[in-house]
Amino acid sequence: MPRTLLARTFLLLAILVLLTTAAWLSLFRYMDAEPRARETAQLAASAVNLIRASLFAAAPERRFGLFAEFSSREGIRLLPAEPGDKIEAMPDSRFFALLQNELNRRLGDHTRIAASVDGVPGFWVSFRLDDADDEEYWLVLPRERATRSFARHWLTWGLLAVVLALGVAWLIASRISKPLKAMASSAEMVGRGQMPEPLPEDGADELKRLAAAFNAMASDLQRNERERSEVLAGISHDLRTPLTRLRLEAELSVSDEKARQGVVSDIEQMESVISQFMDYARAESGEPPSLTDLPALLASIAARQKHVGRHIDADLPTLDEVSLRPKAIARAVTNLIDNAAKYAGGEISLRLSADAREIHIEVGDRGPGVPESEVDRLKRPFTRLETARSNATGTGLGLAIVERIARLHEGRLALLNNPGGGLLARLSLPIRR
């Protein structure tokens, strides 16, 4: 069964058209059998009566020439019936049954019809010169007179009707599926956090209402997302000023070194939380895609991580430039590295690979890993895995930010078991150049 609505609708309409046409042709053929049998029987009976009259009227010496004239001009032959004739009956069909009954009514019950006699094909009709006479003759007519096929012009018109109906069916199916296909594409853009062009509100009333409802929903989602981002960014921005004052006050006023370091650490953690809030609230869709040297971008990220004391085992082969949002990708990879350092520690690997359709960025660690049942939950905002990765603090937005950036690029984030232990976070992006 086809998967698309267009193909399914067209297939169902085509089946309906073909079945209806086949039923119509079968009904016409059934109704045409009786008048056609009557016409054929009348033709055969007229030929028999003509032969009879000719034989009775013609002089004996001229009968041979008369038979030759019938054979050459009308394709009619006259042969005597023999007891040893090998007779092939006509096909068993309603038409030939009607033809036999009609000939019996016109020529008598002794009349027989055959498809061939002694291997000679034709329309064979037996008759007697006189009903009281036992001598029987075969009248051989051209086979086409008894097996006239279904009228070709009806088949031609039927074929044209089928072609026209299938064309209309395709038009109907395409007019139904086209707006739905456009709506599905727009829904995918909304799911990636983008605002699609408004759908045209035309066509049937149901499709117009559906397009209008979808446009209103997309507009509401965009407004809510914008307002949420503005509120979250505003709160995060306003908190940074008092945090800066608190840090300065702690540096100047707290004399106990241990207490001062504790206050500064708490403030730094709060600033990190605020930074994640702002990253999540930032509209990545505002950054246009551009051709980017991805290995160079990842190499710069690895270099910055080494400056802060994190060892990154990088494997970055050379690739052609691809179209993506470099700041968003840098933010996503940095978040994955931060998660690996925060929850696992130790060595972190950064791998880049590509196949025919996708680029894969992998960040691996040697930590406790993540249960498979918790993978989808960890991609949601404000969620953390406390049991598997304890002694860690954070907002639970790191993977949510990466997942959002992956959807923005029409890619995906996968959390897998790292061979040898740990977690392998794979960011897969489609190749666009």
Side-chain angles (χ1 to χ4, degrees):
M1 189 67 179
R3 300 181 61 181
T4 63
L5 178 62
L6 173 61
R8 289 187 178 187
T9 304
F10 175 73
L11 178 61
L12 293 176
L13 290 175
I15 292 175
L16 176 62
V17 169
L18 292 176
L19 290 178
T20 303
T21 304
W24 174 76
L25 291 175
S26 299
L27 179 61
F28 187 85
R29 187 183 184 89
Y30 180 85
M31 297 178 62
D32 180 63
E34 186 172 350
R36 191 156 58 90
R38 190 181 303 116
E39 177 186 353
T40 304
Q42 182 180 0
L43 176 65
S46 298
V48 169
N49 292 330
L50 178 62
I51 292 295
R52 282 175 175 173
S54 300
L55 289 176
F56 285 128
E61 64 273 9
R62 300 192 60 182
R63 289 177 180 174
F64 181 78
L66 184 61
F67 293 158
E69 188 77 11
F70 279 139
S71 178
S72 62
R73 293 201 175 188
E74 299 295 334
I76 300 174
R77 290 180 294 166
L78 186 65
L79 299 173
E82 301 291 343
D85 288 342
K86 296 180 180 179
I87 301 174
E88 179 185 349
M90 286 291 187
D92 186 12
S93 66
R94 180 172 177 268
F95 168 74
F96 288 110
L98 293 172
L99 178 60
Q100 180 70 69
N101 293 334
E102 190 67 23
L103 285 173
N104 289 343
R105 187 180 67 84
R106 293 173 180 268
L107 300 177
D109 293 338
H110 54 77
T111 304
R112 294 178 296 169
I113 59 175
S116 70
V117 175
D118 294 333
V120 180
F123 176 28
W124 295 71
V125 181
S126 69
F127 70 96
R128 297 175 181 176
L129 294 178
D130 191 346
D131 291 340
D133 190 359
D134 292 335
E135 189 174 0
E136 195 172 16
Y137 295 89
W138 285 111
L139 178 66
V140 189
L141 300 172
R143 183 69 180 270
E144 294 78 13
R145 299 192 181 186
T147 59
R148 182 167 58 92
S149 60
F150 195 57
R152 291 186 178 180
H153 64 280
W154 286 112
L155 291 176
T156 302
W157 282 110
L159 180 60
L160 290 177
V162 169
V163 172
L164 179 61
L166 291 179
V168 174
W170 179 266
L171 179 62
I172 293 173
S174 62
R175 287 181 64 86
I176 293 175
S177 64
K178 185 177 180 180
L180 296 179
K181 185 177 180 180
M183 189 171 299
S185 178
S186 298
E188 291 175 354
M189 293 183 65
V190 171
R192 295 193 298 268
Q194 300 172 337
M195 183 59 185
E197 293 292 330
L199 296 173
E201 300 177 10
D202 53 11
D205 289 342
E206 292 82 358
L207 293 177
K208 289 172 63 176
R209 290 178 57 190
L210 184 60
F214 183 88
N215 290 336
M217 179 199 70
S219 179
D220 292 341
L221 287 175
Q222 185 190 37
R223 184 178 64 254
N224 293 338
E225 177 70 14
R226 184 171 59 251
E227 292 175 354
R228 182 190 62 81
S229 299
E230 290 175 353
V231 170
L232 193 58
I235 293 175
S236 302
H237 182 270
D238 292 341
L239 286 176
R240 282 192 164 178
T241 300
L243 284 177
T244 303
R245 288 201 300 265
L246 285 175
R247 182 169 186 171
L248 181 61
E249 186 68 22
E251 293 284 353
L252 297 177
S253 302
V254 180
S255 57
D256 187 351
E257 179 67 21
K258 185 175 181 179
R260 183 169 66 252
Q261 291 298 328
V263 172
V264 171
S265 177
D266 289 341
I267 293 174
E268 289 178 348
Q269 182 178 342
M270 294 176 66
E271 289 180 341
S272 175
V273 170
I274 292 173
S275 296
Q276 283 198 329
F277 277 149
M278 295 191 70
D279 285 343
Y280 187 73
R282 185 179 291 113
E284 287 88 356
S285 58
E287 180 189 7
S290 61
L291 286 177
T292 304
D293 186 352
L294 187 56
L297 176 66
L298 297 180
S300 65
I301 295 173
R304 288 197 299 270
Q305 294 294 324
K306 288 181 180 180
H307 287 323
V308 298
R310 294 174 179 171
H311 177 68
I312 305 296
D313 179 18
D315 181 11
L316 307 173
T318 302
L319 297 177
D320 294 336
E321 291 187 343
V322 292
S323 178
L324 47 79
R325 296 170 173 84
K327 293 182 180 178
I329 295 299
R331 189 177 303 117
V333 175
T334 302
N335 279 357
L336 293 177
I337 294 176
D338 289 342
N339 274 1
K342 183 185 298 182
Y343 296 110
E347 182 178 330
I348 301 172
S349 63
L350 177 61
R351 300 281 185 270
L352 176 63
S353 61
D355 53 31
R357 296 182 299 175
E358 289 184 326
I359 292 175
H360 305 286
I361 304 172
E362 297 178 348
V363 176
D365 60 50
R366 296 300 177 183
V370 171
E372 188 175 349
S373 59
E374 297 288 333
V375 169
D376 290 335
R377 188 180 70 85
L378 288 178
K379 297 178 184 180
R380 303 171 190 167
F382 309 107
T383 56
R384 290 181 299 171
L385 186 64
E386 299 292 347
T387 56
R389 297 187 171 203
S390 58
N391 300 324
T393 59
T395 62
L397 285 175
L399 293 179
I401 293 172
V402 179
E403 173 74 8
R404 191 176 182 185
I405 293 173
R407 290 201 312 268
L408 182 66
H409 288 81
E410 301 181 17
R412 63 188 184 280
L413 171 65
L415 302 180
L416 310 170
N417 292 323
N418 198 3
L423 179 67
L424 182 67
R426 177 182 295 163
L427 181 60
S428 300
L429 306 173
I431 295 178
R432 290 189 174 88
R433 294 190 173 92

